[in-house]
Amino acid sequence: GENVEQHPSTLSVQEGDSAVIKCTYSDSASNYFPWYKQELGKGPQLIIDIRSNVGEKKDQRIAVTLNKTAKHFSLHITETQPEDSAVYFCAASTTGGGSQGNLIFGKGTKLSVKP
Amino acid sequence: EPEVTQTPSHQVTQMGQEVILRCVPISNHLYFYWYRQILGQKVEFLVSFYNNEISEKSEIFDDQFSVERPDGSNFTLKIRSTKLEDSAMYFCASSEAEATNEKLFFGSGTQLSVL
């Protein structure tokens, strides 16, 4: 089955700096890769996602890149702000085309942005 | 913004007791899910539900677990005889009909403590 590894487990940056979180996956059939942000006491919130037919996607200060050959994808947050502090989870799944698999999550990265 | 709501936020029970966790998915969503997160570990898939039946379930979702959509709005997870190892945060999620396993919206979770 699919296995998702996420690094680092903790990340501390200064406000205004960039943050990068990396994930690898094992199942070449996986074709959907979302990123979730979890704030204290809340459920995971979808912040960006990418499908395997796209190499990069950007939404304001957040971007995700995907390397299908190497089976890894990364979350990039630019100009970090204190409110970006949270736990970030990557995930992978196989979806569509009659072949579907549930989301497999990474272990999470606790991001701390220091003012 | 529509959201998935879960009740109760905290549930304490004695080992061997039955618990029912309740969820109200987003109204126009047709796919429903339960995930759980044991403290310090990954978010794990339990079950997905569509068209009044289970679509997929994990090894965790054994005979002690069941799901039900008793009416047009609620989606419940029942654990018949709780064990200590069932202690976890349980998240309900929902997604739109054309996006199975994609764009899941999560609730804030129910923290289940089995004593």
Side-chain angles (χ1 to χ4, degrees), chain A residues 50-92:
Chain A
I50 192 169
R51 296 189 182 146
S52 58
N53 59 347
V54 175
E56 183 175 0
K57 184 176 178 180
K58 190 174 181 180
D59 182 4
Q60 299 181 359
R61 296 186 297 108
I62 294 172
V64 57
T65 59
L66 171 66
N67 184 325
K68 284 177 57 180
T69 304
K71 295 200 196 73
H72 67 70
F73 55 113
S74 301
L75 178 71
H76 304 253
I77 306 174
T78 58
E79 300 172 27
T80 53
Q81 301 166 4
E83 51 265 39
D84 294 329
S85 297
V87 178
Y88 290 81
F89 293 96
C90 64

Side-chain angles (χ1 to χ4, degrees), chain A residues 3-90:
Chain A
N3 182 48
V4 176
E5 298 291 337
Q6 183 172 347
H7 300 278
S9 55
T10 60
L11 179 60
S12 182
V13 300
Q14 287 295 130
E15 183 178 359
D17 288 349
S18 295
V20 180
I21 303 170
K22 299 182 179 182
C23 288
T24 60
Y25 61 99
S26 61
D27 189 352
S28 56
S30 290
N31 58 2
Y32 176 68
F33 308 93
W35 285 89
Y36 283 84
K37 175 183 181 182
Q38 187 177 23
E39 296 174 310
L40 200 61
K42 297 184 178 181
Q45 178 188 11
L46 179 67
I47 56 171
I48 195 167
D49 56 6
I50 192 169
R51 296 189 182 146
S52 58
N53 59 347
V54 175
E56 183 175 0
K57 184 176 178 180
K58 190 174 181 180
D59 182 4
Q60 299 181 359
R61 296 186 297 108
I62 294 172
V64 57
T65 59
L66 171 66
N67 184 325
K68 284 177 57 180
T69 304
K71 295 200 196 73
H72 67 70
F73 55 113
S74 301
L75 178 71
H76 304 253
I77 306 174
T78 58
E79 300 172 27
T80 53
Q81 301 166 4
E83 51 265 39
D84 294 329
S85 297
V87 178
Y88 290 81
F89 293 96
C90 64

Side-chain angles (χ1 to χ4, degrees), chain A residues 4 32 49 51 95 102, chain B residues 42 56 100-104:
Chain A
V4 176
Y32 176 68
D49 56 6
R51 296 189 182 146
T95 183
N102 51 275
Chain B
K42 291 185 179 185
E56 192 176 356
T100 315
N101 286 314
E102 292 186 12
K103 298 194 187 300
L104 270 65

